[in-house]
Amino acid sequence: MKVTEHIKNANGKTLFSFEIIPPKKGKSIQDLYDNIDPLMEFNPPFIDVTTSREEYIYIEKQGLLDRKITRMRPGTVGICAAIKHKYDVDTVPHVLCGGFSKEETEYLLVDCHYLGINNVMALRGDAMSHQKYFEACDGGHQYASQLVSQIQNLNCGTYLHDVVEVDDTSNFCIGVAGYPEKHIEAPSLHTDLKRLKEKVDAGADYVVTQMFFDNKKYFEFVDAAKKVGIDVPIIPGIKPIAIKKHLQLLPQVFKIDLPQDLITNIEQCQTNKQVRQVGIEWAIQQSKELQAAGVPVLHYYSMGKSDNVKAIAEAVF
Ligand SMILES: Cc1cc2nc3c(=O)[nH]c(=O)nc-3n(C[C@H](O)[C@H](O)[C@H](O)COP(=O)(O)OP(=O)(O)OC[C@H]3O[C@@H](n4cnc5c(N)ncnc54)[C@H](O)[C@@H]3O)c2cc1C
């Protein structure tokens, strides 16, 4: 079922969902299952699976460094299919512009359609680690809005190059990213919102936000989005802080602000176990307020470990 259908069928009740990351190459999928199992009692209607960008690695060969390209966490679509099969839950693969040509994206979407996966999250992806700015690969998209258009075209039976006789079209429900504190590269929040509107106009059905720690930012974002004509569901993304280093890491990587009270509480912690507890309590507080405000879904960034998300879900759902 589509994410938007799940939301509609919930009749205003806030749903629970979460995002996982594929295991590192060579690692078993069992660890993922062990972390999904405890969360299934909260009936997630869908689970997101991220896609990691490719990266360069350097292999020494006869005194010279040979540059190879690799993806450290491959398998997004396979994992989506495996989870869907094992838990009978909808899965949402993240589809990136970065590192994929339009043709590769078309084949990936065809795979998803055959597997009965009918939700996708369309994202641009970040620049590769050696790049200052994002660059589309040869034959790839520069912006997520173009990827949304490609997915919508496929939903209408329009393939990239081939004129084919179509009797079975896909019907993907498309999610896109939104940034309550604006995307790092956007010159202003208003400009970023206009870009978000372009994604919705291209066919996006819902938005999932970047993590935020002050609900006011989310509420203001939703109001501002409505003012520019964005009328699709905006799902808040919640990340429980788990380690002290997140105080530096999260603002640096995601260009987000942390509230002073949260910073003070974390600074007082002696161990990361205590930090994890503070992160859980903060996320519970955030979640309860968002739930009371009637958000459609509370979507948690689990980062592969579910104990803290389970503790939050127990308190909220
Ligand atoms: C919910 C969520 C899930 C994510 N999952 C993943 C994942 O699985 N894998 C991963 O690698 N990353 C993921 N990301 C990170 C995401 O890829 C990065 O934030 C990326 O930098 C931007 O992606 P986007 O889809 O928002 O890009 P876009 O919507 O294309 O926007 C990127 C920037 O370009 C600007 N822009 C857009 N259109 C135009 C235009 N026509 N002209 C000029 N400027 C324009 C926007 O304002 C913005 O600053 C996720 C982010 C979120 C919020």
Side-chain angles (χ1 to χ4, degrees):
M1 218 157 76
K2 292 180 170 194
V3 166
T4 46
E5 286 168 341
H6 283 297
I7 292 173
K8 201 166 160 232
N9 293 348
N11 284 323
K13 181 174 168 265
T14 301
L15 301 169
F16 163 78
S17 76
F18 58 96
E19 174 187 293
I20 54 169
I21 49 177
K24 277 197 178 147
K25 208 185 270 180
K27 298 285 176 200
S28 157
I29 195 170
Q30 189 55 47
D31 187 48
L32 213 52
Y33 293 152
D34 292 344
N35 279 285
I36 293 173
D37 286 344
L39 299 180
M40 292 315 288
E41 66 174 282
F42 306 103
N43 299 317
F46 62 92
I47 299 172
D48 276 51
V49 183
T50 63
T51 293
S52 66
R53 272 215 71 168
E54 78 284 21
E55 52 194 277
Y56 287 126
I57 52 166
Y58 295 87
I59 297 163
E60 200 184 327
K61 218 173 173 183
Q62 296 164 338
L64 293 172
L65 287 178
D66 195 12
R67 192 171 79 168
K68 297 283 181 202
I69 202 146
T70 187
R71 219 172 271 276
M72 295 307 283
R73 294 176 186 270
T76 300
V77 172
I79 290 167
C80 282
I83 293 173
K84 186 174 162 55
H85 180 69
K86 184 171 164 63
Y87 299 98
D88 192 21
V89 65
D90 281 309
T91 47
V92 187
H94 290 192
V95 181
L96 298 185
C97 302
F100 292 87
S101 68
K102 293 171 199 162
E103 288 77 9
E104 285 166 327
T105 298
E106 183 169 282
Y107 306 143
L108 183 148
L109 293 169
V110 169
D111 283 344
C112 288
H113 178 51
Y114 286 145
L115 288 164
I117 294 167
N118 45 23
N119 297 284
V120 289
M121 185 77 190
L123 299 145
R124 188 196 69 178
D126 288 317
M128 286 177 77
S129 51
H130 68 284
Q131 291 171 334
K132 199 154 184 207
Y133 301 105
F134 176 87
E135 282 172 29
C137 66
D138 265 359
H141 295 295
Q142 179 67 31
Y143 296 113
S145 55
Q146 298 163 338
L147 176 57
V148 174
S149 296
Q150 180 181 357
I151 302 166
Q152 262 311 352
N153 285 341
L154 201 68
N155 281 348
C156 298
T158 308
Y159 288 74
L160 285 175
H161 312 303
D162 331 49
V163 180
V164 290
E165 212 174 290
V166 180
D167 61 9
D168 176 33
T169 49
S170 61
N171 189 12
F172 289 111
C173 173
I174 308 169
V176 290
Y179 302 84
E181 299 179 60
K182 96 172 180 63
H183 182 257
I184 192 163
E185 295 160 30
S188 72
L189 184 58
H190 183 68
T191 312
D192 205 26
L193 272 167
K194 288 208 302 205
R195 300 303 184 193
L196 180 58
K197 172 82 166 54
E198 284 168 10
K199 293 194 272 194
V200 174
D201 290 345
D205 298 288
Y206 68 100
V207 176
V208 181
T209 74
Q210 183 56 277
M211 65 185 76
F212 57 89
F213 293 88
D214 178 354
N215 287 349
K216 197 164 162 264
K217 301 261 167 74
Y218 169 81
F219 294 131
E220 287 172 357
F221 179 68
V222 172
D223 284 347
K226 277 189 190 135
K227 281 193 185 124
V228 299
I230 295 169
D231 55 3
V232 297
I234 300 182
I235 297 174
I238 306 288
K239 159 126 186 77
I241 288 210
I243 50 171
K244 211 167 207 173
K245 222 171 146 195
H246 278 156
L247 283 187
Q248 284 79 43
L249 213 60
L250 300 180
Q252 190 189 341
V253 175
F254 301 108
K255 191 97 185 351
I256 48 160
D257 270 351
L258 298 178
Q260 191 52 49
D261 283 356
L262 176 60
I263 299 169
T264 308
N265 291 351
I266 289 172
E267 278 175 346
Q268 284 166 356
C269 294
Q270 306 297 319
T271 64
N272 273 332
K273 198 172 166 211
Q274 291 169 343
V275 173
R276 211 167 171 82
Q277 192 52 37
V278 169
I280 289 170
E281 280 158 22
W282 191 271
I284 290 174
Q285 215 182 325
Q286 267 196 288
S287 303
K288 284 188 170 170
E289 192 187 13
L290 290 162
Q291 191 184 40
V295 299
V297 183
L298 283 162
H299 186 70
Y300 295 93
Y301 296 113
S302 83
M303 309 306 280
K305 291 280 168 245
S306 63
D307 60 316
N308 50 1
V309 177
K310 182 176 162 68
I312 298 160
E314 268 167 351
V316 177
F317 291 93

